[in-house]
Amino acid sequence: MAAAAIFSSLRRRRSPSLEAFLAPVDLSNVALVQTLGIVATELVSRFSEKSFFFQRRNSRSLIRKLEVCLVFLDCLKDIDATLPHTALLCLKELYLLLYRSKILLDYCSESSKLWLLLQNQTISGHFNDLNLELLTFLDVFPLEEVELGVDVREQVELLQKQLRRTRMFVDEHVETLRTRFLSFLDEFENGRLPNQRELREFFVDKLGIRNAKSCRTEIEFLEEQIVNHDGDVEPTVAVLNGFVAFTRYSRFFLFGFEEDDIDSGAANQKKLKKNLIMQEIADTFLTIPRDFCCPISLDLMKDPVIISTGQTYDRSSITRWLEEGHNTCPKSGQMLVHTRLAPNRALGNLIMQWCIAHGVPYDPPEGMDASVESYAMASPTRAALEANRATAMILIQQLSIGSQDAKTIAAREIRLLAKTGKENRAFIAEAGAIPHLQKLLTSPNPVAQENSVTAMLNLSIYDKNKSLIMSEVGCLGSITEVLRSGHSTEARENAAATLFSLSAVHDYKKRIAEEGGAVEALAGLLRDGTPRGKKDAVTALFNLSTHTENCVRMIDAGAVTALVEALGNEGVAEEAAGALALVVRQPIGAEAVGKDERAVAGLMAMMRCGTPRGKENAVAALLELCRSGGAATTEQVFKAPALAGLLQMLLFTGTKRARRKAASLARVFQRCEQVTMHYAYASNSTPNRDSSFPSEVSVPISISVPVV
């Protein structure tokens, strides 16, 4: 809100100069006075009949003062003599004062009632500032040098006297309401639910908020203030979240599930798609810093530990590796001197701070630094949590016994409630929302289906809810069915995102891949989906490819072919190359990729002009393809045109990981070259060789491999 941004700056800095708001025309003398007269006339005519629910007295007082200014300006237009330079400077300042007045009056007439209630004292201070600026203008303006009519001069002098006596006015009745509003939040803070009669008296009788629609408008405005919040503006974001939670609870507690919500369902759905989809998925599809990912699972590390070689892994992943009988470092291949695991507290603290900053759920392991733990606990206030908990109980009750329309509304509100905060996600699932949301996944109503699958996605972001979703009989199948044949594009895309979120748990990757039609549907979405749908699908397939037992299933379902095709799509090529790098670690995967002629060409193209991470993934995929695909596949890669130049470029300009992979691939080719040359020499030295057959020629690749 541009106006809100300027309004919030009124008490902190001066507004821009006059030229920032007026067209480049001659503003000297009469032209300036005429312009000011037009602005003042518009202000007076626009706001004279405007109804102000709050700040009524301050607004009316300001408008009356502007009316006197308008009379004063009309008189100046009739003066033939040139205005003195001092008067012109004062009139330019008057324009800025009129501009601020317009912003303030607009703000008071357009803002929500609850927001004006919270800002009552601050806004009263802004009105007082304008009074002081107007007094300064009249005191400085050279009235004695300008010929004014007697009646006009008297009005101006009377206004000066009134302004000198004016003090900041804060409406005591409004302050009482504001105090009452704050007291409701205190009740939630202390674990008590407000009385229904008192809530109805406050919202309906005192504020005139009489239905669910007007209450929803209030909530949306408060949420907008949270998004646009300035750091030095009161109340804080945490407190504002409490007021939003309290108002949402009051909406359903007082007005239930009114029909006007259903009537405007389509419009609301479009608004949700526009404003919330990216925010909902942001938690799931954040680009995680590579150093925060476990080299084994490629997932965000929750409990990083250091092994004897100095490499860091997530505790659960390296523990599983050791339990399987391995005695080497998964990354370097070195033999382990011992199997003790030392917590990497420094990295763990960095990961935790990153998660908190980006709203990613993170459960700190025991022993985490106290300072970081206290930072993580600076989460929503208890009032917000208790209000949201009470709201969730009402919504889940409607999911259970409400009408179809009420269930649709409840699913939408749970979707919104679960979009932020692990606490909200936790108690919504604990209260039993998942089984009811699962039933709505098969609803013939597209809105109900989309809201339920998106709510499931938002709930799944919290790790502990993943097990509840996966353990619910038929839930995974229902999500997969929405992915395959959902009523809307958004529903199918969010189903794919849900599978990605669930597959963050290693033990669930195989179950998801084995669910009938899941991998096929993801492959289809990767081929034919919208840009966002392709992103959802490729990230889900990437996660599934980290489980070695899913390789055959992905080949049979056409997912590997879809990943190869995706190498040509700039939006998903990076993730596709990363998934292929995992698939080709197995001989069967390398064979499948090697048979596709587009694979090597696509990876080469990414090495040439992809993103830094895309280049990493591409050269890693080629390296693994050579290691697992046998001599024929290695030769296929070896013969790719311009490969030597691309490797040389990566060795000197790539990221650290890209340089390391490029160096390894170069060494593979050097070994292959030596073997080929030895074979060719041995063949040429054979006495009985038929000279009619040309000897095999090997073209050497000259690559200097730096130490990385």
Side-chain angles (χ1 to χ4, degrees), residues 244-315:
V244 169
F246 160 60
T247 308
R248 183 181 290 115
Y249 166 77
S250 301
R251 170 194 169 185
F252 292 106
F253 188 57
L254 293 177
F255 309 118
F257 295 77
E258 294 185 357
E259 291 300 319
D260 63 343
D261 278 317
I262 299 300
D263 296 338
S264 58
N268 289 334
Q269 198 67 12
K270 290 181 180 179
K271 187 172 183 179
L272 284 173
K273 292 175 185 177
K274 180 179 179 182
N275 297 334
L276 298 176
I277 284 177
M278 295 310 296
Q279 184 175 350
E280 290 170 340
I281 309 302
D283 288 341
T284 308
F285 298 112
L286 282 172
T287 300
I288 302 173
R290 181 166 296 278
D291 291 340
F292 293 176
C293 295
C294 175
I296 297 176
S297 67
L298 302 182
D299 294 331
L300 180 70
M301 288 187 281
K302 297 300 180 70
D303 189 5
V305 293
I306 304 172
I307 62 175
S308 63
T309 61
Q311 299 289 345
T312 297
Y313 300 91
D314 195 40
R315 184 183 295 274

Side-chain angles (χ1 to χ4, degrees), residues 336-373:
L336 299 179
V337 179
H338 57 77
T339 58
R340 294 191 298 274
L341 305 178
N344 190 337
R345 299 189 187 281
L347 181 59
N349 291 346
L350 291 174
I351 292 174
M352 180 168 220
Q353 292 180 32
W354 181 87
C355 288
I356 298 300
H358 291 85
V360 176
Y362 186 87
D363 295 324
E366 294 183 7
M368 183 65 70
D369 287 358
S371 59
V372 179
E373 207 167 329

Side-chain angles (χ1 to χ4, degrees), residues 454-470:
T454 310
M456 199 76 78
L457 165 62
N458 292 342
L459 291 174
S460 72
I461 295 172
Y462 181 49
D463 282 350
K464 292 183 179 179
N465 288 346
K466 290 177 171 62
S467 61
L468 296 177
I469 294 173
M470 294 296 290

